[in-house]
Amino acid sequence: MSTLCVPSQVPSVAEDCEQLRKAFAGWGTNEGLIISILGHRNAAQRKLIRQVYAETYGEDLLKVLDKELTSDFERVVKLWTLDPAERDAFLANEAIKKWTSSNKVLVEIACARSPKELLLAREAYHACFKRSLEEDVAYHTSGDFRKLLVPLVSSYRYGGDDVNLTLAKTEAKLLHQKISEKAYSCDDIIRILTTRSKAQINATLNQYKNEFGSDINKNLKADPKDEFLALLRATIKCLVCPEQYFAKVLRLSINKLGTEEGALTRVVATRAEVDMKVIKDAYQKRSSVPLEQAIAKDTSGDYEKMLLTLIGHGPE
Amino acid sequence: MAASDDVESLARAFSGVGVDEQALISVLGKWHPEQRQHFRKATRDFFVEDERQFERWNDRHILQLRHEFLRLKDAIVAWTMHPWERDARLLKEALYKGPQYNVLIEIACTRSSEELLGARRAYHSLFHHSIEEDVAFHVHTPEKELLVAVLSSYRYEGPKVDEETAKLEAKTLSDVIGKKGLNKEDEDVVIRILSTRSKLHLKAIYKHYKAITGNYLDEDIEGDSRLKETVQCLCTPEKYFSQVLDASLRYNADEISKEALSRVIVTRADADMKQIKEEYHGKYGVSLGKKIEEVANGNYRDFLLTLIARSGE
């Protein structure tokens, strides 16, 4: 459920472009105007705005934003303005270039998007970086991480609801067996998580809980420092309950001494039009504080305004 | 005597690939019962002498005849199918009937990125699974990793190639392939390169490999034929296809090899058939069309010839 608020009477694209142009004109930038326009347009509208802006003024809107804005505000507006596929390609490339084993962005992109969206992201990656996503991931990662991440980003899962319950039971048993043997990066675990459809995985994990009494992620916590296990847990969460995953990312990023803006920006920009409403609910349930309050407390200025706008609480 | 010529032409009508419908009609259709009996007695491999004093069709041959009669129908159905559905069905058959992992490699590596994607989509629609989940689940041999990886690829298809990286990777491959017995890490490197790099990049690697070692990459790969096929399909597809065609047109080809004839011609007629024909002619000294005329019969032969004629002489 999207939290984006698009006005019922949307100005024409030409008007939006003109207003944006005015926002950049002269000394300084009218950030409020930018937020009030871009923060209230959906992906299709933003795409049109970019197109018309380029046709009318001969400049790529993104480049202008780059020039005119700074710091966290710039990043959230830039990520927001990008078309979802390009955004994912951009985030993936960033994650690959600054690869650390605690980086979960690739898992988010591979698992919390629909199979079609992942495909579009891979296409956008070709266009932007002249290489395939999987070749870069394969090249920059190694060992168990590569073993998990390459098939994950290359997957094109069946997107339907068909589920085979017998298979789910068998694979739940298999997962349990391998986990008890601590064979976390074995072929079978990787195969199941990287090729089965989301519906099938969900059925398998339900069987797992029915048969063995606990959530699979509880059994993957043997070593809190093991980053591969953390990635495995993230994979599973993103596949079957992304809103829980993202609510947790938000909790961890806002509660630290000094907010981890990178994660906050990324989650808001990538989920505002997808499932931010359920993420907010999950957030509030767990931290007893509404998300907008936490954001308002820990961030400031135009950055704060943009975030609040995207989650549906901006200034009117 | 005319009859023995007839017997010969009839025997011929039943051998090779496809059946010579005209011969069957014009000869067989006119024969009296005694002539047919003479035919049965004269062709020992089609008929066996039954203990109860009659010539009985050799069962194996009836089965073979069934394949031969179906060849045209299968080729036509495949030809009219949407290429995505065609490839999806070929993938399924290759995985479950046989299995024929070389066909999986063939499709994964000789189609463009969009064509492979289309096949994967069609597979979802037809079979309600993804091809990678089925392959990962059903293949238990060591080639599984390579197969899943190449089937999952969505290669960059633009013109940009990083020559430096290609050179480095060619060197890496030459170090790895020279070794006796690849360990897991070595295999991973080879699979990574072959399943993720763009085709232009791989062709550059192929070129650099030759420059470094003096040999062709696929020729240096001993033993593991899936790996060899992967390299061939990615870097020298016409060579690969002309080899498959040659095997299918041999006198003693088995059914699986014969089926490759339709598959290659139907799937490549609108793609790189011209280059395949050139490569075939260069390698085997006879034009593909001539060889098909020699080995194939009837309407099936004519269909094949029509398909390969689309790409000019």
Side-chain angles (χ1 to χ4, degrees):
Chain A
M1 288 86 262
S2 159
T3 47
L4 182 65
C5 303
V6 177
S8 45
Q9 306 272 56
V10 182
S12 73
V13 181
E15 266 179 71
D16 275 344
C17 290
E18 211 186 298
Q19 291 299 314
L20 283 171
R21 186 75 169 169
K22 284 208 185 109
F24 301 130
W27 292 109
T29 314
N30 187 341
E31 290 88 355
L33 193 49
I34 295 178
I35 297 176
S36 70
I37 300 175
L38 291 175
H40 292 282
R41 302 288 181 270
N42 64 33
Q45 291 161 333
R46 298 192 310 272
K47 187 170 181 163
L48 212 47
I49 290 176
R50 265 180 82 186
Q51 197 184 315
V52 173
Y53 192 94
E55 284 166 10
T56 318
Y57 303 110
E59 261 190 294
D60 180 358
L61 179 60
L62 282 169
K63 290 215 167 57
V64 181
L65 291 170
D66 213 14
K67 253 191 330 186
E68 298 277 335
L69 311 179
T70 55
S71 166
D72 296 315
F73 178 57
E74 177 199 337
R75 190 169 163 88
V76 71
V77 174
K78 175 177 174 177
L79 278 184
W80 176 246
T81 309
L82 278 171
D83 156 277
E86 286 174 313
R87 182 191 306 148
D88 282 345
F90 172 77
L91 287 171
N93 183 258
E94 217 183 31
I96 292 170
K97 285 207 301 243
K98 300 187 293 180
W99 169 254
T100 60
S101 41
S102 58
N103 189 307
K104 307 211 174 44
V105 176
L106 290 173
V107 169
E108 285 174 21
I109 294 173
C111 304
R113 313 299 190 242
S114 73
K116 186 154 184 222
E117 289 166 347
L118 175 57
L119 211 50
L120 290 172
R122 289 166 79 182
E123 231 178 70
Y125 199 95
H126 282 192
C128 299
F129 304 107
K130 314 294 184 226
R131 281 186 306 278
S132 64
L133 174 58
E134 57 268 29
E135 87 183 269
D136 279 356
V137 173
Y139 189 62
H140 291 269
T141 59
S142 58
D144 288 342
F145 294 97
R146 180 199 287 175
K147 201 170 167 190
L148 175 63
L149 289 170
V150 174
L152 222 48
V153 303
S154 312
S155 67
Y156 183 42
R157 301 175 200 262
Y158 166 63
D161 293 320
D162 272 36
V163 161
N164 179 332
L165 284 174
T166 317
L167 186 62
K169 280 204 184 92
T170 317
E171 295 197 330
K173 272 205 179 65
L174 189 51
L175 287 173
H176 187 253
Q177 181 198 335
K178 294 296 175 182
I179 290 176
S180 343
E181 293 167 7
K182 295 203 187 317
Y184 303 120
S185 59
C186 74
D187 284 347
D188 286 309
I189 295 188
I190 306 267
R191 169 181 69 75
I192 293 172
L193 292 181
T194 63
T195 64
R196 292 300 183 200
S197 72
K198 290 187 186 186
Q200 183 68 33
I201 291 181
N202 195 39
T204 305
L205 296 184
N206 283 341
Q207 289 296 338
Y208 187 102
K209 187 154 188 194
N210 290 348
E211 177 111 14
F212 304 107
S214 59
D215 266 327
I216 190 172
N217 273 1
K218 288 221 164 32
N219 295 142
L220 289 171
K221 287 202 168 131
D223 177 5
K225 294 231 175 52
D226 185 336
E227 285 172 335
F228 180 72
L229 282 183
L231 221 57
L232 222 47
R233 294 196 302 270
T235 301
I236 290 171
K237 267 181 126 164
C238 283
L239 284 169
V240 299
C241 52
E243 57 298 331
Q244 300 286 349
Y245 170 84
F246 285 115
K248 183 161 186 192
V249 172
L250 287 174
R251 261 194 352 263
L252 294 176
S253 73
I254 298 180
N255 274 344
K256 289 209 189 118
L257 254 46
T259 302
E260 200 203 306
E261 289 83 6
L264 176 57
T265 302
R266 184 180 78 243
V267 175
V268 172
T270 57
R271 309 310 281 185
E273 278 178 295
V274 183
D275 52 2
M276 186 51 85
K277 178 133 202 340
V278 278
I279 295 177
K280 279 202 311 191
D281 292 341
Y283 181 90
Q284 177 154 6
K285 197 153 178 212
R286 189 69 171 66
S287 47
S288 314
V289 165
L291 180 60
E292 52 272 19
Q293 204 176 305
I295 289 181
K297 187 152 172 271
D298 272 26
T299 62
S300 61
D302 299 308
Y303 178 54
E304 176 195 333
K305 281 204 206 102
M306 184 64 174
L307 291 175
L308 291 178
T309 303
L310 291 180
I311 66 170
H313 286 267
E316 266 317 304
Chain B
M1 144 180 154
S4 70
D5 290 339
D6 279 348
V7 167
E8 221 183 276
S9 79
L10 209 56
R12 211 206 150 245
F14 285 135
S15 60
V17 280
V19 286
D20 184 344
E21 294 91 349
Q22 272 316 110
L24 294 179
I25 295 172
S26 63
V27 176
L28 204 51
K30 298 213 186 79
W31 276 352
H32 299 304
E34 311 84 56
Q35 285 168 304
R36 298 203 298 279
Q37 178 171 60
H38 174 81
F39 173 67
R40 287 194 295 272
K41 285 195 191 300
T43 45
R44 289 287 83 182
D45 33 295
F46 292 9
F47 295 91
V48 288
E49 185 67 44
D50 186 275
E51 59 188 8
R52 294 187 176 79
Q53 264 97 43
F54 67 98
E55 311 84 29
R56 205 185 68 217
W57 262 114
N58 179 343
D59 283 327
R60 206 172 42 88
H61 208 85
I62 294 191
L63 221 58
Q64 189 56 38
L65 263 191
R66 192 170 164 272
H67 285 302
E68 299 306 340
F69 270 96
L70 282 177
R71 256 182 242 293
L72 176 62
K73 166 237 172 209
D74 289 340
I76 289 188
V77 169
W79 177 246
T80 42
M81 242 184 224
H82 191 295
W84 293 357
E85 181 178 352
R86 181 194 307 153
D87 279 348
R89 290 192 188 274
L90 282 173
L91 286 170
K92 179 121 185 138
E93 237 185 71
L95 183 57
Y96 293 99
K97 261 171 60 178
Q100 288 180 264
Y101 298 151
N102 59 314
V103 176
L104 295 176
I105 302 265
E106 186 181 301
I107 294 178
C109 300
T110 61
R111 308 311 191 237
S112 74
S113 293
E114 291 304 322
E115 288 167 346
L116 178 57
L117 200 54
R120 291 165 78 181
R121 287 201 177 107
Y123 197 95
H124 284 195
S125 295
L126 291 167
F127 310 114
H128 306 290
H129 282 193
S130 59
I131 178 67
E132 54 268 37
E133 85 183 271
D134 282 353
V135 171
F137 189 57
H138 287 274
V139 178
H140 300 290
T141 53
E143 345 168 81
K144 170 166 81 164
E145 254 189 75
L146 174 65
L147 290 172
V148 175
V150 294
L151 284 166
S152 309
S153 68
Y154 184 45
R155 301 175 202 261
Y156 167 65
E157 291 195 307
K160 194 155 179 292
V161 171
D162 184 340
E163 290 290 337
E164 283 313 308
T165 308
K167 251 189 222 142
L168 265 163
E169 292 185 337
K171 178 91 191 23
T172 306
L173 288 175
S174 72
D175 291 336
V176 161
I177 289 177
K179 284 193 209 169
K180 285 252 174 268
L182 301 180
N183 64 26
K184 186 78 177 45
E185 244 179 60
D186 296 331
E187 259 177 46
D188 281 350
V189 167
V190 178
I191 293 181
R192 168 183 75 74
I193 295 175
L194 293 182
S195 67
T196 64
R197 292 302 186 197
S198 75
K199 290 189 182 173
L200 275 181
H201 186 106
L202 288 168
K203 291 195 168 113
I205 291 182
Y206 196 75
K207 189 183 72 189
H208 289 300
Y209 186 94
K210 180 104 204 310
I212 297 173
T213 65
N215 299 331
Y216 288 116
L217 178 55
D218 53 316
E219 285 165 10
D220 268 1
I221 299 176
E222 290 171 3
D224 192 334
S225 47
R226 293 294 90 78
L227 217 46
K228 203 182 178 103
E229 280 154 13
T230 303
V231 173
Q232 287 179 335
C233 285
L234 288 167
C235 305
T236 55
E238 326 71 39
K239 187 166 138 193
Y240 167 82
F241 283 120
S242 58
Q243 275 163 218
V244 172
L245 286 172
D246 174 65
S248 75
L249 290 163
R250 296 231 183 103
Y251 166 66
N252 51 356
D254 59 18
E255 181 54 29
I256 287 191
S257 305
K258 284 187 187 176
E259 278 171 9
L261 181 59
S262 294
R263 182 183 77 240
V264 173
I265 294 191
V266 166
T267 57
R268 308 315 283 176
D270 281 336
D272 49 2
M273 186 50 79
K274 186 152 191 287
Q275 293 88 313
I276 295 175
K277 287 198 297 194
E278 278 167 19
E279 178 76 29
Y280 185 92
H281 199 153
K283 196 161 170 165
Y284 302 104
V286 56
S287 82
L288 180 59
K290 198 96 200 306
K291 189 70 183 175
I292 291 180
E293 267 180 50
E294 238 181 76
V295 175
N297 296 316
N299 293 332
Y300 177 62
R301 177 197 64 209
D302 293 340
F303 188 57
L304 292 182
L305 291 174
T306 310
L307 290 185
I308 69 172
R310 294 160 63 84
S311 49
E313 262 323 297

